[in-house]
Amino acid sequence: MTSRVRIALILGLAGVVMITLVMAPMLMSTFPSFLGGGGLTTTDCEDGDVVKVTNVSDTAQSDIPSDYLPLYKKFGKKLGVQWTVLAAVGKRETDHGRSSLPGVKSGTNYAGAAGPMQFLISTWGGKSKIKVSSKFNGYASDGDGDGWGDVYNPADAIYGAAKMLKRNGAPGDLKRALFTYNRAMWYVEQVLEIARRYATDGTLDVPPEADPACDTPIVEAAPDDIVRKILAYALAQRGKPYIWGGTGPAGYDCSGIIYMAYRAAGLSIPRTTFGQWPFGMKIKKGEEQAGDLVFFNAGPGTAADNPGHVGMVVSPGKMIEARCTRCGPIKVTTYRDRPNIVGYTRPLRNEDVLAQLKRLGLT
């Protein structure tokens, strides 16, 4: 990293802190009294873009604009981030876009931040509105499907904020994720307090990807009993840490959890990602199903034809993965919007596995 890049990063982080230092006292006067309690609450396990606005306290219903609330819910669910935390960031930064301070609706403030979620233009992509492509790896996001990442567009900005929180530790390590968003512990504590008051029970809700209440329909939807056993084992390991070379029970690495899940069903497959990739029958994109594996060109020594990271499909667009030491605990995540996907395989169609199934009397 060059000295100029280091200086730019330091100035950027300082700018984020200064934004909040200036805006905090101005926005505090706009905060509601946070009466808490009441509201709607159900478990939201459905897939797709239709999101029920549930687990919303009376405080949240009265304070969050009607056009913002569904966006917080939608992108919180899509990225696997607590919607209450995402909404609390929006409240803390600009009062859900209602602030009249410079840079919220147009232009930038003195530090170069803009939009309802207060992104530094440098982290958004260098412009307030840019064309979003599959190759772009920044926080500029297309939340409304028009092909553009507009920092002033609530859908785009909230989607980008969800990506930033997820990339830096959410939903498991919220303090780390929020501290990265704005490097001040008092900011972190304020956001978490707002998030608790936005929830019906005063606690931070668990995204559907991490909610055990959502496991039953996932397992029941599996194509057969073997896959159900594989999924049941893998999902039961959620919340445990990533451990390099781990095969449980304390923790796992990416291929270790898959290896052990198949063993729980009485089947033996290769232990490592490099062995698992050529083992299963290749599956076309869009045809993957529960129990299949999705591989990524990620990690040291990997390439497009030699993937180094793997997850296991549990439902359409969702996989369980042990990602890395700093990526938080084992959890269910989305994979279709992730870069560097190499391909998909079905270990259950390997000849050795078919022979094992026959010996077990399961074919």
Side-chain angles (χ1 to χ4, degrees), residues 69-330:
L69 181 54
L71 295 175
Y72 291 133
K73 292 286 288 186
K74 175 180 179 178
F75 295 116
K77 177 185 175 184
K78 182 179 179 68
L79 273 297
V81 175
Q82 290 92 334
W83 78 264
T84 48
V85 175
L86 190 58
V89 171
K91 177 65 177 181
R92 176 65 282 179
E93 295 293 342
T94 67
D95 192 22
H96 308 300
R98 291 180 292 218
S99 171
S100 59
L101 291 173
V104 176
K105 297 179 176 64
S106 64
T108 63
N109 65 12
Y110 74 94
M117 304 304 281
Q118 288 293 279
F119 276 95
L120 291 172
I121 293 299
S122 60
T123 65
W124 189 256
K127 299 179 182 179
S128 62
K129 185 175 182 178
I130 66 172
K131 191 72 174 177
V132 176
S133 70
S134 59
K135 295 181 179 180
F136 187 79
N137 198 36
Y139 293 118
S141 303
D142 178 19
D144 60 0
D146 66 356
W148 292 85
D150 184 347
V151 75
Y152 306 108
N153 181 308
D156 295 352
I158 291 170
Y159 191 10
K163 285 183 179 179
M164 188 172 188
L165 292 172
K166 182 62 175 288
R167 186 173 295 179
N168 291 292
D173 193 345
L174 291 176
K175 288 190 175 182
R176 174 174 175 256
L178 291 169
F179 188 78
T180 303
Y181 202 99
N182 193 319
R183 303 181 95 79
M185 283 310 300
W186 59 262
Y187 173 90
V188 172
E189 296 302 332
Q190 284 186 5
V191 170
L192 292 176
E193 179 60 22
I194 296 168
R196 293 185 188 99
R197 290 168 176 171
Y198 278 165
T200 54
D201 58 3
T203 61
L204 301 180
D205 68 321
V206 179
E209 291 82 358
D211 189 348
C214 297
D215 288 357
T216 299
I218 289 177
V219 175
E220 289 181 348
D224 55 48
D225 286 340
I226 288 294
V227 177
R228 279 189 276 276
K229 290 180 180 179
I230 293 170
L231 294 185
Y233 180 93
L235 290 169
Q237 312 315 309
R238 190 172 42 207
K240 294 183 178 180
Y242 174 95
I243 298 177
W244 174 261
T247 54
Y252 305 79
D253 64 12
C254 66
S255 57
I257 186 173
I258 294 168
Y259 172 73
M260 293 303 295
Y262 271 77
R263 279 192 59 177
L267 302 173
S268 178
I269 66 172
R271 162 65 185 87
T272 68
T273 304
F274 298 115
Q276 290 173 2
W277 168 240
F279 183 79
M281 182 179 74
K282 298 297 187 294
I283 301 297
K284 293 182 179 179
K285 178 182 178 181
E287 295 182 1
E288 68 274 10
Q289 64 185 29
D292 292 345
L293 308 185
V294 51
F295 292 85
F296 300 85
N297 179 10
T302 69
D305 60 349
N306 193 38
H309 180 60
V310 61
M312 185 170 70
V313 177
V314 297
S315 65
K318 305 287 186 182
M319 67 177 177
I320 187 164
E321 66 170 337
R323 191 167 183 179
C324 70
T325 304
R326 296 182 178 181
C327 299
I330 294 169

Side-chain angles (χ1 to χ4, degrees), residues 314-363:
V314 297
S315 65
K318 305 287 186 182
M319 67 177 177
I320 187 164
E321 66 170 337
R323 191 167 183 179
C324 70
T325 304
R326 296 182 178 181
C327 299
I330 294 169
K331 52 185 172 287
V332 175
T333 61
T334 58
Y335 63 82
R336 288 178 178 166
D337 60 347
R338 289 263 288 272
N340 301 325
I341 293 179
V342 173
Y344 308 85
T345 70
R346 185 165 297 161
L348 290 174
R349 299 304 300 169
N350 175 275
E351 291 184 0
D352 289 344
V353 173
L354 290 173
Q356 293 174 50
L357 290 170
K358 186 174 182 180
R359 287 195 297 269
L360 293 171
L362 298 173
T363 57

